[in-house]
Amino acid sequence: MTDKDKLYIFDTTLRDGEQSPGASMTRDEKIRIAKMLEKMRVDIIEAGFAIASKGDFESIQAIAKAVKDSTICSLARAVPGDIERAAEAIKPANRGRIHTFIATSPIHMQYKLKMEPPRVLEQAVAAVKLARNYTDDVEFSLEDASRSEFDFMCKIIEAVIEAGAGTINLPDTVGYGEPGEYGALFGRLINAIPNADRAIFSTHCHNDLGLAVANSLSAVMHGARQVECTINGLGERAGNAALEEIVMAVSTRQDVFPVQTGIDASHIVPTSRLVSSITGFPVQPNKAIVGANAFAHESGIHQDGVLKHRETYEIMRAEDVGWHTNKLVLGKHSGRAAVKARFEALGITFDSPESLNAAFERFKDLADKKHEIFDEDLQALVSDVVAHEAPEVYELGTMEILCRTGQAPSATLELGIDGRRHTCSATGSGPVDATYKAIESAVNSGATLKLYSVNAITQGTDSQGDVTVRLEKDGHIVNGVGADTDIVVASAKAYLHALNLLSAPGRSHPQREGI
Ligand code: KIV
Ligand code: ZN
């Protein structure tokens, strides 16, 4: 029994998180993440923006079918077409929410919406009423709330609660808020609005000034009871408040927070890794909770202190957020059952015996090259299998790389292009540069390389390199991923994966205009 209020955790990794340039996910990838979020006991999963694309719509629908314990939500602008599409997408859910929004700040109303405040209010009320025809669970967001006028917010919030909104979200859309001011805004609004007790107030903070988590927690101290956040802080521009930081701040500082979440924190690290490997966005080593160094003690004084009494330098236990899963090591003698069990512990399941076999074969290949296989290797391996499951236009055959001191490195590759073999070669400033030039000499994609990053997946020189390549073409951005113990091979795989995504309709991420 507890006298604390419940703090609802609303995860928007699959919606706001996916709005990060290059972070597009396929429907199956979104389902895998949604199932992990459900396991973690996330209260509400914002699965997408139904009207934005056919892919978004189908993903929300599929998640609504696959996930039974969390509420499934779709975003919708405050217009009938959006709301009807959102309602259709969440129909299969046990519990479905429509999250409708309209901007309320003077700058957004004047320049973006070109609407006077009374019309904005009218449209907001009409949207909530329409959404209530489809579900009892309607959330209303005042976009750019942190730059909106107080009196206008009071009016619109009172009216949408009257119209049936059960959750009122006050986004700090542009990351402009400061903790004292943003938190106090919640207290002032909750006090001033006569029917405020009929709704849950929610935070949604962007991290442009690095204050998203601080702002969200300050709002909680002033009455917010829902926090919108994302795994690893993924999201538009500098991202959203990081779920793992919100959850662990609240549970570690129960002496100050008047709330408790229902989250099972032991799934945090595996979920963080899954999101990172699917999106190709690496987690920085010093990232709180989920960074590789978050629980590593380098200084001798700290190590000595931790050995004598752990709490001298540790405020949380690494195993409580899922780090212990790292320790189990698999190797070339591990059998199919052990590998399958490890995959399952990481939230990875296989639809058919064939896909388990494919993953097991890759595991065996990797175990031949690498002595010990860690959870991170398995995550990368599955992303690699999934990445290459879709029909491929471009396939990697053999590679020959020559690097000799004093000479330009050269690469010769055999590629499959639409089922036909091509040989291509080039020199470059390094082996990766030579490889990409060779590929482009055969493919001529016209795409621009926006990002190239290599990360060692685990420690040691036999670690797999995890490569992310971001390509842009005609306003579409894709992230290709590839993993291998040879980083030049991983780089070639990632580049070809990105080209395959660009060539597959619906798999690249158009940067959504006005959305
Ligand atoms: O940042 C924002 O304002 C949003 C809303 C659509 C909730 O993402
Ligand atoms: Zn947002």
Side-chain angles (χ1 to χ4, degrees):
M1 286 300 282
T2 168
D3 55 356
K4 302 236 176 194
D5 284 354
K6 160 123 184 186
L7 179 64
Y8 290 89
I9 297 296
F10 175 116
D11 181 277
T12 183
T13 307
L14 302 176
R15 198 279 296 170
D16 216 325
E18 206 205 18
Q19 284 176 219
S20 307
S24 63
M25 303 168 225
T26 64
R27 192 190 59 180
D28 290 349
E29 289 165 345
K30 287 185 180 178
I31 295 172
R32 278 167 65 202
I33 293 174
K35 283 189 172 164
M36 282 300 271
L37 296 172
E38 179 187 35
K39 246 188 176 178
M40 203 195 281
R41 299 206 211 109
V42 160
D43 299 290
I44 303 111
I45 298 173
E46 188 162 55
F49 194 166
I51 196 84
S53 69
K54 189 164 168 270
D56 260 44
F57 176 85
E58 287 171 356
S59 298
I60 300 167
Q61 218 176 28
I63 291 168
K65 285 182 192 152
V67 169
K68 290 300 158 208
D69 295 339
S70 310
T71 295
I72 304 304
C73 171
S74 170
L75 186 66
R77 286 168 301 189
V79 292
D82 278 36
I83 291 167
E84 283 147 14
R85 193 79 174 141
E88 190 62 27
I90 60 166
K91 220 186 216 165
N94 266 359
R95 283 190 303 276
R97 172 178 294 190
I98 296 176
H99 173 193
T100 185
F101 73 99
I102 193 163
T104 53
S105 63
I107 187 170
H108 275 229
M109 290 190 290
Q110 185 181 347
Y111 294 105
K112 186 181 81 172
L113 299 177
K114 298 188 187 352
M115 281 164 71
E116 292 298 323
R119 243 196 83 208
V120 169
L121 191 145
E122 215 175 276
Q123 199 166 314
V125 169
V128 170
K129 283 190 178 157
L130 178 62
R132 277 299 302 261
N133 290 337
Y134 299 104
T135 171
D136 290 344
D137 190 349
V138 174
E139 170 170 337
F140 177 76
S141 280
L142 295 83
E143 191 188 8
D144 205 16
S146 51
R147 295 191 299 169
S148 299
E149 281 169 2
F150 186 79
D151 290 345
F152 181 54
M153 283 200 280
C154 287
K155 254 197 217 163
I156 197 165
I157 293 172
E158 184 177 350
V160 292
I161 293 176
E162 207 44 53
T167 305
I168 299 296
N169 185 37
L170 304 172
D172 183 21
T173 304
V174 292
Y176 179 74
E178 168 280 320
E181 167 202 71
Y182 182 71
L185 176 65
F186 280 74
R188 287 171 62 213
L189 285 170
I190 291 169
N191 275 331
I193 296 168
N195 56 2
D197 59 332
R198 283 164 44 196
I200 286 178
F201 281 69
S202 165
T203 76
H204 177 110
C205 295
H206 281 270
N207 207 28
D208 300 66
L209 295 173
L211 293 171
V213 169
N215 284 336
S216 307
L217 293 175
S218 173
V220 169
M221 295 304 267
H222 288 85
R225 292 295 176 261
Q226 173 177 288
V227 173
E228 301 196 357
C229 44
T230 58
I231 300 293
N232 300 336
L234 204 65
E236 281 263 9
R237 307 181 309 278
N240 289 59
L243 177 147
E244 59 277 8
E245 296 176 22
I246 299 285
V247 167
M248 292 317 291
V250 167
S251 76
T252 306
R253 295 306 308 272
Q254 276 292 290
D255 55 329
V256 292
F257 287 106
V259 293
Q260 269 179 348
T261 74
I263 296 293
D264 177 351
S266 67
H267 296 292
I268 283 179
V269 169
T271 309
S272 157
R273 296 200 170 276
L274 182 65
V275 169
S276 169
S277 77
I278 284 175
T279 56
F281 280 43
V283 175
Q284 74 196 54
N286 58 329
K287 166 80 181 62
I289 322 289
V290 293
N293 294 348
F295 292 87
H297 297 281
E298 187 70 23
S299 119
I301 296 174
H302 288 206
Q303 286 174 353
D304 180 55
V306 169
L307 287 174
K308 285 180 175 145
H309 186 80
R310 177 183 186 142
E311 281 158 27
T312 50
Y313 285 100
E314 276 190 8
I315 57 165
M316 295 167 278
R317 292 168 4 132
E319 50 272 43
D320 289 350
V321 294
W323 275 108
H324 63 288
T325 52
N326 270 346
K327 302 248 161 65
L328 203 147
V329 176
L330 298 168
K332 70 194 278 180
H333 301 297
S334 304
R336 189 181 301 259
V339 174
K340 182 168 176 260
R342 200 67 224 133
F343 275 127
E344 279 170 4
L346 293 171
I348 298 163
T349 48
F350 297 94
D351 302 339
S352 62
E354 290 75 38
S355 44
L356 170 62
N357 284 349
F360 188 65
E361 281 314 308
R362 291 217 182 200
F363 166 80
K364 284 286 178 196
D365 287 347
L366 182 60
D368 275 338
K369 297 189 222 160
K370 194 171 182 289
H371 194 51
E372 295 173 324
I373 311 258
F374 296 91
D375 288 346
E376 294 88 335
D377 290 312
L378 295 182
Q379 300 268 25
L381 185 149
V382 168
S383 295
D384 220 43
V385 172
V386 172
H388 299 97
E389 256 172 12
E392 293 188 337
V393 177
Y394 306 105
E395 279 178 281
L396 183 61
T398 57
M399 284 180 72
E400 187 178 290
I401 307 294
L402 279 176
C403 293
R404 185 172 293 146
T405 318
Q407 282 184 14
S410 68
T412 302
L413 283 83
E414 242 186 38
L415 297 180
I417 304 179
D418 270 329
R420 294 179 50 197
R421 293 242 151 258
H422 289 256
T423 304
C424 50
S425 12
T427 55
S429 56
V432 174
D433 189 45
T435 301
Y436 284 10
K437 284 187 172 137
I439 294 174
E440 275 301 332
S441 73
V443 167
N444 234 329
S445 72
T448 313
L449 181 69
K450 291 284 185 191
L451 176 131
Y452 169 79
S453 95
V454 195
N455 282 281
I457 292 179
T458 53
Q459 289 177 350
T461 50
D462 70 345
S463 166
Q464 290 194 86
D466 197 8
V467 175
T468 301
V469 166
R470 186 175 304 157
L471 294 183
E472 199 245 312
K473 191 179 172 191
D474 302 333
H476 284 65
I477 296 181
V478 292
N479 265 1
V481 290
D484 200 280
T485 46
D486 180 330
I487 59 163
V488 186
V489 174
S491 302
K493 282 184 180 175
Y495 198 84
L496 292 173
H497 180 216
L499 290 178
N500 279 319
L501 291 175
L502 274 180
S503 64
R507 297 202 71 206
S508 58
H509 188 338
Q511 297 307 289
R512 298 159 174 160
E513 226 170 88
I515 287 181

